[in-house]
Amino acid sequence: MDELKTGLGAVHIDDKSSNYQDIVKELILQSQKAKEGAYCPYSKFRVGAALLTLDNTVFTGCNVENACYNLGVCAERNAIAKAVSEGYRGFKAIAISSDMTEQFISPCGGCRQFMREFGPNWDVYLTKPDGSYSKMTVEELLPVSFGPKDLSLKKVTDSSNRQ
Ligand code: THU
């Protein structure tokens, strides 16, 4: 598959020479490669993610843990933060990889909410190391979600919150 390094720490997939199935395969491979970078001395649970933007640029991420345990960051959130930092806000898909052989890796609740910030209708590929996957949408993973628009819906007037 034709790939181009973008200089953003990302890879661009040439969509003219590839169909969506090939792109998904590549996305899964990229998430497995990203897993190699996992910094997880505490959990020893490696996770990699590869995020596909609307223009077929791929940003990857791995989990990065910390001696102060609660500061650890998940692979998915790292990939999304990298993409958003470079100006991307629209996504087609994310692939997630771990070392579990008998179960598809399933994103944590926090990562589901982080994905949902950028819309409910895009694909999440939960994978196994052999490349097999289960495909779900963000909406399926996080039904009845809270999103950016909810903040501006009609509210009761609460004078106790007035400045
Ligand atoms: N982890 C992820 O990076 N993504 C997931 O989808 C599930 C969990 C990380 C967090 C922590 O570093 C390790 O896996 C064990 O929970």
Side-chain angles (χ1 to χ4, degrees):
M1 175 166 302
D2 290 339
E3 282 173 15
L4 205 79
K5 291 245 182 312
T6 61
L8 302 173
V11 159
H12 184 77
I13 295 176
D14 179 8
D15 38 328
K16 280 171 226 83
S17 65
S18 12
N19 61 41
Y20 190 62
Q21 257 339 92
D22 289 341
I23 293 176
V24 166
K25 235 191 221 168
E26 178 61 25
L27 199 64
I28 292 171
L29 277 177
Q30 292 285 340
S31 73
Q32 291 173 340
K33 226 197 254 176
K35 186 181 68 178
E36 304 294 324
Y39 175 74
C40 51
Y42 310 107
S43 71
K44 310 257 189 320
F45 190 90
R46 301 188 306 166
V47 185
L51 177 68
L52 185 67
T53 68
L54 296 180
D55 73 357
N56 287 338
T57 303
V58 177
F59 286 88
T60 58
C62 60
N63 52 334
V64 181
E65 297 184 347
N66 194 277
C68 181
Y69 286 8
N70 61 338
L71 294 182
V73 186
C74 291
E76 300 90 319
R77 266 182 265 183
N78 259 338
I80 293 170
K82 278 168 71 174
V84 173
S85 307
E86 298 301 337
Y88 291 88
R89 293 180 180 182
F91 306 115
K92 286 184 190 168
I94 188 168
I96 315 167
S97 293
S98 81
D99 294 315
M100 291 189 294
T101 53
E102 291 176 353
Q103 208 165 297
F104 297 113
I105 176 72
S106 182
C108 78
C111 286
R112 294 176 193 209
Q113 181 67 30
F114 214 78
M115 292 170 196
R116 192 265 168 264
E117 181 70 16
F118 302 99
N121 299 316
W122 49 292
D123 296 331
V124 185
Y125 290 88
L126 321 177
T127 77
K128 288 183 193 167
D130 64 5
S132 60
Y133 61 79
S134 162
K135 173 185 154 184
M136 297 182 75
T137 63
V138 172
E139 166 87 47
E140 284 168 338
L141 285 164
L142 191 67
V144 205
S145 64
F146 183 81
K149 289 200 180 106
D150 292 313
L151 290 171
S152 48
L153 294 182
K154 193 166 165 18
K155 303 179 204 65
V156 291
T157 310
D158 179 355
S159 57
S160 69
N161 278 333
R162 288 224 183 100
Q163 301 287 337

PDB file of all heavy atoms in Angstrom, residues 124-154:
ATOM      1  N   VAL A 124     -14.960   1.712  15.178  1.00  0.00           N
ATOM      2  CA  VAL A 124     -13.926   1.299  16.125  1.00  0.00           C
ATOM      3  C   VAL A 124     -13.642  -0.188  15.866  1.00  0.00           C
ATOM      4  O   VAL A 124     -14.560  -1.014  15.934  1.00  0.00           O
ATOM      5  CB  VAL A 124     -14.390   1.511  17.584  1.00  0.00           C
ATOM      6  CG1 VAL A 124     -13.256   1.191  18.560  1.00  0.00           C
ATOM      7  CG2 VAL A 124     -14.889   2.950  17.790  1.00  0.00           C
ATOM      8  N   TYR A 125     -12.405  -0.509  15.529  1.00  0.00           N
ATOM      9  CA  TYR A 125     -12.006  -1.889  15.267  1.00  0.00           C
ATOM     10  C   TYR A 125     -11.314  -2.438  16.508  1.00  0.00           C
ATOM     11  O   TYR A 125     -10.214  -2.012  16.861  1.00  0.00           O
ATOM     12  CB  TYR A 125     -11.084  -1.950  14.042  1.00  0.00           C
ATOM     13  CG  TYR A 125     -11.835  -1.639  12.764  1.00  0.00           C
ATOM     14  CD1 TYR A 125     -11.972  -0.333  12.302  1.00  0.00           C
ATOM     15  CD2 TYR A 125     -12.460  -2.658  12.048  1.00  0.00           C
ATOM     16  CE1 TYR A 125     -12.701  -0.047  11.152  1.00  0.00           C
ATOM     17  CE2 TYR A 125     -13.188  -2.384  10.900  1.00  0.00           C
ATOM     18  CZ  TYR A 125     -13.303  -1.077  10.463  1.00  0.00           C
ATOM     19  OH  TYR A 125     -14.035  -0.800   9.324  1.00  0.00           O
ATOM     20  N   LEU A 126     -11.984  -3.373  17.179  1.00  0.00           N
ATOM     21  CA  LEU A 126     -11.444  -4.026  18.365  1.00  0.00           C
ATOM     22  C   LEU A 126     -10.744  -5.278  17.842  1.00  0.00           C
ATOM     23  O   LEU A 126     -11.387  -6.119  17.210  1.00  0.00           O
ATOM     24  CB  LEU A 126     -12.573  -4.413  19.319  1.00  0.00           C
ATOM     25  CG  LEU A 126     -13.746  -3.419  19.480  1.00  0.00           C
ATOM     26  CD1 LEU A 126     -14.806  -3.995  20.412  1.00  0.00           C
ATOM     27  CD2 LEU A 126     -13.262  -2.089  20.013  1.00  0.00           C
ATOM     28  N   THR A 127      -9.449  -5.395  18.068  1.00  0.00           N
ATOM     29  CA  THR A 127      -8.718  -6.454  17.368  1.00  0.00           C
ATOM     30  C   THR A 127      -8.053  -7.463  18.307  1.00  0.00           C
ATOM     31  O   THR A 127      -7.965  -7.253  19.519  1.00  0.00           O
ATOM     32  CB  THR A 127      -7.615  -5.854  16.450  1.00  0.00           C
ATOM     33  OG1 THR A 127      -6.498  -5.465  17.252  1.00  0.00           O
ATOM     34  CG2 THR A 127      -8.138  -4.653  15.671  1.00  0.00           C
ATOM     35  N   LYS A 128      -7.580  -8.539  17.681  1.00  0.00           N
ATOM     36  CA  LYS A 128      -6.719  -9.523  18.346  1.00  0.00           C
ATOM     37  C   LYS A 128      -5.383  -9.517  17.607  1.00  0.00           C
ATOM     38  O   LYS A 128      -5.310  -9.064  16.451  1.00  0.00           O
ATOM     39  CB  LYS A 128      -7.327 -10.929  18.253  1.00  0.00           C
ATOM     40  CG  LYS A 128      -8.540 -11.139  19.127  1.00  0.00           C
ATOM     41  CD  LYS A 128      -8.995 -12.590  19.005  1.00  0.00           C
ATOM     42  CE  LYS A 128     -10.379 -12.778  19.601  1.00  0.00           C
ATOM     43  NZ  LYS A 128     -10.953 -14.084  19.231  1.00  0.00           N
ATOM     44  N   PRO A 129      -4.319 -10.055  18.219  1.00  0.00           N
ATOM     45  CA  PRO A 129      -2.996 -10.031  17.571  1.00  0.00           C
ATOM     46  C   PRO A 129      -2.955 -10.736  16.208  1.00  0.00           C
ATOM     47  O   PRO A 129      -2.102 -10.429  15.369  1.00  0.00           O
ATOM     48  CB  PRO A 129      -2.092 -10.760  18.581  1.00  0.00           C
ATOM     49  CG  PRO A 129      -2.766 -10.529  19.897  1.00  0.00           C
ATOM     50  CD  PRO A 129      -4.238 -10.553  19.608  1.00  0.00           C
ATOM     51  N   ASP A 130      -3.865 -11.662  15.950  1.00  0.00           N
ATOM     52  CA  ASP A 130      -3.862 -12.339  14.643  1.00  0.00           C
ATOM     53  C   ASP A 130      -4.512 -11.489  13.542  1.00  0.00           C
ATOM     54  O   ASP A 130      -4.638 -11.934  12.398  1.00  0.00           O
ATOM     55  CB  ASP A 130      -4.554 -13.710  14.739  1.00  0.00           C
ATOM     56  CG  ASP A 130      -6.043 -13.590  15.094  1.00  0.00           C
ATOM     57  OD1 ASP A 130      -6.567 -12.449  15.178  1.00  0.00           O
ATOM     58  OD2 ASP A 130      -6.681 -14.641  15.288  1.00  0.00           O
ATOM     59  N   GLY A 131      -4.934 -10.288  13.889  1.00  0.00           N
ATOM     60  CA  GLY A 131      -5.508  -9.376  12.891  1.00  0.00           C
ATOM     61  C   GLY A 131      -7.024  -9.479  12.765  1.00  0.00           C
ATOM     62  O   GLY A 131      -7.637  -8.683  12.051  1.00  0.00           O
ATOM     63  N   SER A 132      -7.625 -10.437  13.451  1.00  0.00           N
ATOM     64  CA  SER A 132      -9.096 -10.531  13.400  1.00  0.00           C
ATOM     65  C   SER A 132      -9.676  -9.367  14.209  1.00  0.00           C
ATOM     66  O   SER A 132      -9.004  -8.803  15.082  1.00  0.00           O
ATOM     67  CB  SER A 132      -9.580 -11.871  13.946  1.00  0.00           C
ATOM     68  OG  SER A 132      -9.168 -12.031  15.289  1.00  0.00           O
ATOM     69  N   TYR A 133     -10.904  -9.013  13.875  1.00  0.00           N
ATOM     70  CA  TYR A 133     -11.480  -7.852  14.560  1.00  0.00           C
ATOM     71  C   TYR A 133     -12.989  -7.936  14.695  1.00  0.00           C
ATOM     72  O   TYR A 133     -13.665  -8.697  14.001  1.00  0.00           O
ATOM     73  CB  TYR A 133     -11.112  -6.557  13.824  1.00  0.00           C
ATOM     74  CG  TYR A 133     -11.612  -6.463  12.400  1.00  0.00           C
ATOM     75  CD1 TYR A 133     -12.935  -6.123  12.116  1.00  0.00           C
ATOM     76  CD2 TYR A 133     -10.750  -6.707  11.334  1.00  0.00           C
ATOM     77  CE1 TYR A 133     -13.379  -6.022  10.805  1.00  0.00           C
ATOM     78  CE2 TYR A 133     -11.180  -6.612  10.015  1.00  0.00           C
ATOM     79  CZ  TYR A 133     -12.498  -6.275   9.767  1.00  0.00           C
ATOM     80  OH  TYR A 133     -12.941  -6.186   8.470  1.00  0.00           O
ATOM     81  N   SER A 134     -13.474  -7.117  15.639  1.00  0.00           N
ATOM     82  CA  SER A 134     -14.894  -6.868  15.767  1.00  0.00           C
ATOM     83  C   SER A 134     -15.067  -5.375  15.525  1.00  0.00           C
ATOM     84  O   SER A 134     -14.359  -4.554  16.113  1.00  0.00           O
ATOM     85  CB  SER A 134     -15.318  -7.262  17.191  1.00  0.00           C
ATOM     86  OG  SER A 134     -16.545  -6.689  17.512  1.00  0.00           O
ATOM     87  N   LYS A 135     -16.006  -5.025  14.619  1.00  0.00           N
ATOM     88  CA  LYS A 135     -16.197  -3.611  14.286  1.00  0.00           C
ATOM     89  C   LYS A 135     -17.445  -3.080  14.976  1.00  0.00           C
ATOM     90  O   LYS A 135     -18.515  -3.691  14.876  1.00  0.00           O
ATOM     91  CB  LYS A 135     -16.332  -3.488  12.767  1.00  0.00           C
ATOM     92  CG  LYS A 135     -16.691  -2.114  12.282  1.00  0.00           C
ATOM     93  CD  LYS A 135     -16.911  -2.134  10.778  1.00  0.00           C
ATOM     94  CE  LYS A 135     -17.823  -1.033  10.350  1.00  0.00           C
ATOM     95  NZ  LYS A 135     -18.126  -1.077   8.915  1.00  0.00           N
ATOM     96  N   MET A 136     -17.301  -1.978  15.669  1.00  0.00           N
ATOM     97  CA  MET A 136     -18.449  -1.321  16.303  1.00  0.00           C
ATOM     98  C   MET A 136     -18.368   0.171  16.034  1.00  0.00           C
ATOM     99  O   MET A 136     -17.285   0.684  15.749  1.00  0.00           O
ATOM    100  CB  MET A 136     -18.426  -1.561  17.821  1.00  0.00           C
ATOM    101  CG  MET A 136     -18.571  -3.017  18.212  1.00  0.00           C
ATOM    102  SD  MET A 136     -18.597  -3.242  19.994  1.00  0.00           S
ATOM    103  CE  MET A 136     -20.266  -2.672  20.379  1.00  0.00           C
ATOM    104  N   THR A 137     -19.489   0.865  16.146  1.00  0.00           N
ATOM    105  CA  THR A 137     -19.426   2.322  16.026  1.00  0.00           C
ATOM    106  C   THR A 137     -19.234   2.908  17.432  1.00  0.00           C
ATOM    107  O   THR A 137     -19.471   2.233  18.448  1.00  0.00           O
ATOM    108  CB  THR A 137     -20.721   2.896  15.422  1.00  0.00           C
ATOM    109  OG1 THR A 137     -21.796   2.613  16.321  1.00  0.00           O
ATOM    110  CG2 THR A 137     -21.008   2.306  14.048  1.00  0.00           C
ATOM    111  N   VAL A 138     -18.828   4.164  17.455  1.00  0.00           N
ATOM    112  CA  VAL A 138     -18.694   4.855  18.740  1.00  0.00           C
ATOM    113  C   VAL A 138     -20.044   4.842  19.460  1.00  0.00           C
ATOM    114  O   VAL A 138     -20.124   4.572  20.665  1.00  0.00           O
ATOM    115  CB  VAL A 138     -18.186   6.303  18.512  1.00  0.00           C
ATOM    116  CG1 VAL A 138     -18.225   7.104  19.798  1.00  0.00           C
ATOM    117  CG2 VAL A 138     -16.776   6.288  17.910  1.00  0.00           C
ATOM    118  N   GLU A 139     -21.106   5.068  18.705  1.00  0.00           N
ATOM    119  CA  GLU A 139     -22.475   5.084  19.268  1.00  0.00           C
ATOM    120  C   GLU A 139     -22.833   3.735  19.908  1.00  0.00           C
ATOM    121  O   GLU A 139     -23.448   3.687  20.972  1.00  0.00           O
ATOM    122  CB  GLU A 139     -23.461   5.404  18.132  1.00  0.00           C
ATOM    123  CG  GLU A 139     -24.926   5.152  18.443  1.00  0.00           C
ATOM    124  CD  GLU A 139     -25.606   6.335  19.111  1.00  0.00           C
ATOM    125  OE1 GLU A 139     -25.420   7.447  18.603  1.00  0.00           O
ATOM    126  OE2 GLU A 139     -26.306   6.132  20.111  1.00  0.00           O
ATOM    127  N   GLU A 140     -22.442   2.653  19.258  1.00  0.00           N
ATOM    128  CA  GLU A 140     -22.735   1.325  19.826  1.00  0.00           C
ATOM    129  C   GLU A 140     -21.950   1.102  21.126  1.00  0.00           C
ATOM    130  O   GLU A 140     -22.430   0.442  22.052  1.00  0.00           O
ATOM    131  CB  GLU A 140     -22.387   0.230  18.816  1.00  0.00           C
ATOM    132  CG  GLU A 140     -23.411   0.120  17.704  1.00  0.00           C
ATOM    133  CD  GLU A 140     -22.950  -0.749  16.537  1.00  0.00           C
ATOM    134  OE1 GLU A 140     -21.727  -0.943  16.339  1.00  0.00           O
ATOM    135  OE2 GLU A 140     -23.834  -1.203  15.792  1.00  0.00           O
ATOM    136  N   LEU A 141     -20.736   1.644  21.168  1.00  0.00           N
ATOM    137  CA  LEU A 141     -19.911   1.465  22.367  1.00  0.00           C
ATOM    138  C   LEU A 141     -20.351   2.381  23.507  1.00  0.00           C
ATOM    139  O   LEU A 141     -20.117   2.080  24.676  1.00  0.00           O
ATOM    140  CB  LEU A 141     -18.444   1.752  22.041  1.00  0.00           C
ATOM    141  CG  LEU A 141     -17.712   0.676  21.239  1.00  0.00           C
ATOM    142  CD1 LEU A 141     -16.424   1.231  20.650  1.00  0.00           C
ATOM    143  CD2 LEU A 141     -17.416  -0.535  22.113  1.00  0.00           C
ATOM    144  N   LEU A 142     -20.966   3.498  23.130  1.00  0.00           N
ATOM    145  CA  LEU A 142     -21.389   4.465  24.151  1.00  0.00           C
ATOM    146  C   LEU A 142     -22.762   5.026  23.790  1.00  0.00           C
ATOM    147  O   LEU A 142     -22.887   6.138  23.288  1.00  0.00           O
ATOM    148  CB  LEU A 142     -20.359   5.605  24.243  1.00  0.00           C
ATOM    149  CG  LEU A 142     -20.510   6.549  25.425  1.00  0.00           C
ATOM    150  CD1 LEU A 142     -20.223   5.841  26.751  1.00  0.00           C
ATOM    151  CD2 LEU A 142     -19.583   7.754  25.284  1.00  0.00           C
ATOM    152  N   PRO A 143     -23.811   4.206  24.036  1.00  0.00           N
ATOM    153  CA  PRO A 143     -25.167   4.676  23.695  1.00  0.00           C
ATOM    154  C   PRO A 143     -25.632   5.771  24.664  1.00  0.00           C
ATOM    155  O   PRO A 143     -25.104   5.879  25.769  1.00  0.00           O
ATOM    156  CB  PRO A 143     -26.023   3.421  23.828  1.00  0.00           C
ATOM    157  CG  PRO A 143     -25.248   2.471  24.662  1.00  0.00           C
ATOM    158  CD  PRO A 143     -23.805   2.856  24.601  1.00  0.00           C
ATOM    159  N   VAL A 144     -26.607   6.533  24.211  1.00  0.00           N
ATOM    160  CA  VAL A 144     -27.209   7.600  25.043  1.00  0.00           C
ATOM    161  C   VAL A 144     -26.106   8.474  25.651  1.00  0.00           C
ATOM    162  O   VAL A 144     -26.079   8.716  26.860  1.00  0.00           O
ATOM    163  CB  VAL A 144     -28.115   7.017  26.160  1.00  0.00           C
ATOM    164  CG1 VAL A 144     -29.164   8.037  26.578  1.00  0.00           C
ATOM    165  CG2 VAL A 144     -28.795   5.738  25.742  1.00  0.00           C
ATOM    166  N   SER A 145     -25.211   8.922  24.779  1.00  0.00           N
ATOM    167  CA  SER A 145     -24.016   9.602  25.286  1.00  0.00           C
ATOM    168  C   SER A 145     -24.231  11.089  25.526  1.00  0.00           C
ATOM    169  O   SER A 145     -25.177  11.687  25.020  1.00  0.00           O
ATOM    170  CB  SER A 145     -22.881   9.419  24.281  1.00  0.00           C
ATOM    171  OG  SER A 145     -23.210  10.051  23.065  1.00  0.00           O
ATOM    172  N   PHE A 146     -23.337  11.647  26.248  1.00  0.00           N
ATOM    173  CA  PHE A 146     -23.278  13.096  26.482  1.00  0.00           C
ATOM    174  C   PHE A 146     -22.254  13.669  25.521  1.00  0.00           C
ATOM    175  O   PHE A 146     -21.135  13.163  25.430  1.00  0.00           O
ATOM    176  CB  PHE A 146     -22.850  13.350  27.933  1.00  0.00           C
ATOM    177  CG  PHE A 146     -22.818  14.807  28.310  1.00  0.00           C
ATOM    178  CD1 PHE A 146     -23.984  15.472  28.651  1.00  0.00           C
ATOM    179  CD2 PHE A 146     -21.624  15.510  28.328  1.00  0.00           C
ATOM    180  CE1 PHE A 146     -23.961  16.822  29.003  1.00  0.00           C
ATOM    181  CE2 PHE A 146     -21.589  16.853  28.678  1.00  0.00           C
ATOM    182  CZ  PHE A 146     -22.756  17.510  29.018  1.00  0.00           C
ATOM    183  N   GLY A 147     -22.656  14.714  24.787  1.00  0.00           N
ATOM    184  CA  GLY A 147     -21.729  15.281  23.809  1.00  0.00           C
ATOM    185  C   GLY A 147     -21.714  16.789  23.844  1.00  0.00           C
ATOM    186  O   GLY A 147     -22.441  17.417  24.621  1.00  0.00           O
ATOM    187  N   PRO A 148     -20.888  17.395  22.982  1.00  0.00           N
ATOM    188  CA  PRO A 148     -20.693  18.844  22.994  1.00  0.00           C
ATOM    189  C   PRO A 148     -21.997  19.640  22.902  1.00  0.00           C
ATOM    190  O   PRO A 148     -22.146  20.670  23.561  1.00  0.00           O
ATOM    191  CB  PRO A 148     -19.834  19.100  21.751  1.00  0.00           C
ATOM    192  CG  PRO A 148     -19.178  17.794  21.460  1.00  0.00           C
ATOM    193  CD  PRO A 148     -20.078  16.727  21.961  1.00  0.00           C
ATOM    194  N   LYS A 149     -22.961  19.153  22.093  1.00  0.00           N
ATOM    195  CA  LYS A 149     -24.196  19.932  21.901  1.00  0.00           C
ATOM    196  C   LYS A 149     -25.037  19.989  23.173  1.00  0.00           C
ATOM    197  O   LYS A 149     -25.801  20.925  23.373  1.00  0.00           O
ATOM    198  CB  LYS A 149     -25.021  19.334  20.754  1.00  0.00           C
ATOM    199  CG  LYS A 149     -24.386  19.580  19.404  1.00  0.00           C
ATOM    200  CD  LYS A 149     -25.385  19.431  18.258  1.00  0.00           C
ATOM    201  CE  LYS A 149     -24.708  19.684  16.926  1.00  0.00           C
ATOM    202  NZ  LYS A 149     -24.475  18.443  16.147  1.00  0.00           N
ATOM    203  N   ASP A 150     -24.923  18.973  24.024  1.00  0.00           N
ATOM    204  CA  ASP A 150     -25.720  18.945  25.256  1.00  0.00           C
ATOM    205  C   ASP A 150     -25.451  20.166  26.134  1.00  0.00           C
ATOM    206  O   ASP A 150     -26.321  20.599  26.893  1.00  0.00           O
ATOM    207  CB  ASP A 150     -25.416  17.669  26.061  1.00  0.00           C
ATOM    208  CG  ASP A 150     -25.924  16.435  25.346  1.00  0.00           C
ATOM    209  OD1 ASP A 150     -27.085  16.455  24.899  1.00  0.00           O
ATOM    210  OD2 ASP A 150     -25.163  15.464  25.210  1.00  0.00           O
ATOM    211  N   LEU A 151     -24.257  20.700  26.022  1.00  0.00           N
ATOM    212  CA  LEU A 151     -23.897  21.840  26.874  1.00  0.00           C
ATOM    213  C   LEU A 151     -24.745  23.068  26.581  1.00  0.00           C
ATOM    214  O   LEU A 151     -24.940  23.909  27.446  1.00  0.00           O
ATOM    215  CB  LEU A 151     -22.411  22.185  26.688  1.00  0.00           C
ATOM    216  CG  LEU A 151     -21.428  21.166  27.268  1.00  0.00           C
ATOM    217  CD1 LEU A 151     -20.012  21.495  26.829  1.00  0.00           C
ATOM    218  CD2 LEU A 151     -21.520  21.140  28.788  1.00  0.00           C
ATOM    219  N   SER A 152     -25.247  23.163  25.338  1.00  0.00           N
ATOM    220  CA  SER A 152     -26.001  24.376  25.002  1.00  0.00           C
ATOM    221  C   SER A 152     -27.516  24.142  24.944  1.00  0.00           C
ATOM    222  O   SER A 152     -28.251  24.984  24.447  1.00  0.00           O
ATOM    223  CB  SER A 152     -25.484  24.949  23.680  1.00  0.00           C
ATOM    224  OG  SER A 152     -25.389  23.933  22.723  1.00  0.00           O
ATOM    225  N   LEU A 153     -27.994  23.004  25.444  1.00  0.00           N
ATOM    226  CA  LEU A 153     -29.444  22.768  25.476  1.00  0.00           C
ATOM    227  C   LEU A 153     -30.095  23.582  26.594  1.00  0.00           C
ATOM    228  O   LEU A 153     -29.426  24.040  27.525  1.00  0.00           O
ATOM    229  CB  LEU A 153     -29.724  21.267  25.662  1.00  0.00           C
ATOM    230  CG  LEU A 153     -29.281  20.365  24.489  1.00  0.00           C
ATOM    231  CD1 LEU A 153     -29.665  18.919  24.768  1.00  0.00           C
ATOM    232  CD2 LEU A 153     -29.883  20.835  23.170  1.00  0.00           C
ATOM    233  N   LYS A 154     -31.412  23.737  26.460  1.00  0.00           N
ATOM    234  CA  LYS A 154     -32.171  24.566  27.400  1.00  0.00           C
ATOM    235  C   LYS A 154     -32.029  24.023  28.832  1.00  0.00           C
ATOM    236  O   LYS A 154     -32.156  22.822  29.065  1.00  0.00           O
ATOM    237  CB  LYS A 154     -33.641  24.548  26.965  1.00  0.00           C
ATOM    238  CG  LYS A 154     -34.527  25.566  27.609  1.00  0.00           C
ATOM    239  CD  LYS A 154     -35.819  25.609  26.819  1.00  0.00           C
ATOM    240  CE  LYS A 154     -36.989  26.292  27.456  1.00  0.00           C
ATOM    241  NZ  LYS A 154     -36.837  27.185  28.523  1.00  0.00           N
TER     242      LYS A 154
END
